[in-house]
Amino acid sequence: MLDPAAPQLVVNARVLIFSWQPADPDAVAAILPAGLLPRPDRQVFLCQYVVDDDCQTSGFGAYSLTYLGISLVGMDPPDGDTPGGWWSHHFASSPRVREYAAARGAPAQAGQTTIDVRGDQLTAETRADGRPIIRTVARVGHTGHVVRSGHHRYLTGRDGELTSADYPYVAEPVTPFEIEWVDFLATEHPVYPLRPANPLTICWGYYSPRVSFAYPSAPNALDEPPAAEPAHQVPARRARSGLPSGS
C-alpha cells in the first residue's frame, strides 16, 4: 500500500470536470456533514478522468476515476478560481488508488470510467457494481494555446474529523466546449440525489486531454467551519458552458 501521507503526481490525464445546479437542492444539502455549508445554489461538481499508462503517475499506475461532490461556502482554494467542495462519492478502478484515497478520508469505492471522443462528440461513462451510473455527452474541440492552472480544494472526513487539502493542477482545455447532457442512469444508486436539474444549468467546467495534477502531502485537519453566507448574496462566478469561470 502507498503511504497515504506521501504526495503523488499524475501527468497528462484525460479529464472532464464541470458543475451544475441540482434537481433536488434539499437532498444535496442533506448529504453534507454537520458544520459544512453548501452554496445557495447547491452547486454539484463532477470529474471523470482516465490515466492511460503507468508512466503517467509517480506511484498509482494506470487507472480511471470519477468523483462527485458539493461546492461549499467559505472553502475556496488559495487562488479562488473555483469553490472548494466536499467529496461525496469517489469511484476508482485501481485498488492501489482506492486504498490510498480511503486512507486520506475519501469515500473510495470500486468503479470504472471511460472517455471516448469521436469527432467533436465526447462521451464519458462511469460504471459501478457492473452497471453504468453516470453518462456525460459533450461537444469538444481542440486544444489551443490557453493553459489553465490553479488549485482545487477538497474536503473529506478522517477519523471523525474534517480534513482539507489543496490539489494543484495545470490543464490545456479544448475550445469549443459544451456539455450537452448528463444522465444519472440508476435511480436507486446513492449518487442519484446529485443529478442535475432539467433544464441543465452548467456553472463552470472544461475538458482537457492533458491535465497534470498532484495529490499533496496528507490532508490537514479543518480547524473550524466556515461562517454563514448572507441569505441575500447572489452566487458568484456563474457561467454557461463554453464560458467557464473556474477549472
Side-chain angles (χ1 to χ4, degrees):
M1 176 178 172
L2 295 173
D3 180 357
Q8 296 292 334
L9 178 65
V10 177
V11 298
N12 293 333
R14 296 185 287 126
V15 176
L16 174 66
I17 183 169
F18 61 101
S19 75
W20 62 73
Q21 294 179 9
D24 190 342
D26 292 338
V28 167
I31 292 173
L32 288 174
L36 297 182
L37 298 174
R39 288 167 52 95
D41 58 2
R42 304 299 195 261
Q43 190 179 124
V44 172
F45 59 86
L46 167 69
C47 182
Q48 296 168 293
Y49 75 86
V50 176
V51 179
D52 293 294
D53 195 276
D54 291 353
C55 68
Q56 294 173 235
T57 75
S58 58
F60 288 152
Y63 71 100
S64 65
L65 195 148
T66 291
Y67 61 77
L68 297 93
I70 301 159
S71 297
L72 300 171
V73 169
M75 290 295 174
D76 291 359
D79 45 42
D81 198 24
T82 57
W86 169 257
W87 261 346
S88 61
H89 301 85
H90 186 286
F91 303 95
S93 63
S94 163
R96 180 182 298 179
V97 173
R98 291 197 298 271
E99 290 173 358
Y100 177 87
R104 296 164 65 96
Q109 303 176 58
Q112 297 78 38
T113 302
T114 58
I115 296 178
D116 180 46
V117 179
R118 300 188 181 186
D120 65 353
Q121 181 173 290
L122 176 150
T123 303
E125 185 174 274
T126 302
R127 301 180 66 89
D129 302 320
R131 57 180 174 168
I133 58 172
I134 303 170
R135 184 178 297 123
T136 306
V137 176
R139 183 173 63 89
V140 297
H142 301 283
T143 57
H145 300 292
V146 175
V147 174
R148 300 178 66 88
S149 61
H151 296 78
H152 294 297
R153 174 169 291 169
Y154 297 123
L155 280 72
T156 59
R158 185 184 62 192
D159 299 329
E161 65 179 359
L162 299 177
T163 61
S164 172
D166 295 337
Y167 297 75
Y169 73 93
V170 178
E172 300 175 57
V174 302
T175 303
F177 169 74
E178 182 180 6
I179 299 294
E180 296 187 337
W181 70 80
V182 185
D183 289 333
F184 276 57
L185 303 168
T187 58
E188 72 283 4
H189 196 278
V191 300
Y192 191 73
L194 298 178
R195 68 196 184 279
N198 185 12
L200 179 65
T201 301
I202 300 297
C203 304
W204 57 263
Y206 67 81
Y207 170 68
S208 172
R210 291 186 293 275
V211 179
S212 298
F213 58 91
Y215 280 73
S217 299
N220 299 312
L222 192 65
D223 294 329
E224 58 186 61
E229 186 174 71
H232 65 275
Q233 184 168 335
V234 177
R237 294 186 300 279
R238 184 176 299 172
R240 301 296 297 176
S241 59
L243 294 172
S245 60
S247 56

